[in-house]
Amino acid sequence: SRPMIMKAETKDAIKREIKGYLVDTSAKVGTYAIPMGLMEASRGLSLEQIVQSRTSVALADAVLGRIYGKALNYAREKFGTEGEMGLKSYLVDTTTMLMVYDPAYALILQSCGADSEQTASAVGILSVILAFTARPFSKYVLDNWRKYWGTK
């Protein structure tokens, strides 16, 4: 049998995707772990639940970080906000993050033993936190991290 030979363009595309995945995921995990753990403690989650939650979120971000990055690229292109400032950019970046992370976070908390009240409270607070941090994260952390690593 003949060995399969991959085209150079295909190899380059795979390398770009892997690099993009690592860049987007590391930006998300590194930025939110500590503040979210502190918020969970303030909502009454035990240390064991917080460690379990943060570990679960890091694992989830192994998938969601890049999904968010791709969704953000799509939304910015669709609504013409790439590189722009203002309310429209804020709304696009924030809505994209809320749509990806609120449902996933609720499932993670439930799987870690948080009750419905704790989950609703923590997801509500997450939404408020994201309302204030999604745009600064995407504009000043993610965009600059992508530029630094050459994925933007």
Side-chain angles (χ1 to χ4, degrees), residues 11-131:
K11 285 181 184 178
D12 289 343
I14 291 170
K15 286 179 185 176
R16 274 193 312 277
E17 281 302 313
I18 291 170
K19 188 175 182 181
Y21 164 82
L22 293 171
V23 168
D24 286 4
T25 301
S26 63
K28 179 66 177 60
V29 172
T31 301
Y32 281 98
I34 292 173
M36 290 304 298
L38 293 172
M39 182 276 293
E40 290 167 354
S42 77
R43 299 292 90 201
L45 275 72
S46 69
L47 180 58
E48 182 180 337
Q49 288 173 314
I50 293 167
V51 169
Q52 197 174 22
S53 168
R54 294 295 90 218
T55 302
S56 297
V57 169
L59 292 172
D61 269 332
V63 174
L64 295 174
R66 186 61 174 156
I67 290 172
Y68 164 70
K70 291 276 201 177
L72 183 63
N73 292 347
Y74 173 81
R76 283 177 169 178
E77 185 177 313
K78 174 113 175 113
F79 295 102
T81 61
E82 182 64 48
E84 298 295 320
M85 298 292 286
L87 181 61
K88 187 176 178 182
S89 294
Y90 165 83
L91 291 173
V92 166
D93 287 14
T94 301
T95 301
T96 302
M97 189 173 277
L98 288 168
M99 289 175 59
V100 171
Y101 281 97
D102 273 1
Y105 185 54
L107 290 171
I108 289 166
L109 289 175
Q110 291 283 294
S111 73
C112 293
D115 63 33
S116 295
E117 189 176 312
Q118 288 172 318
T119 300
S121 176
V123 170
I125 290 174
L126 172 67
S127 296
V128 171
I129 290 169
L130 293 180

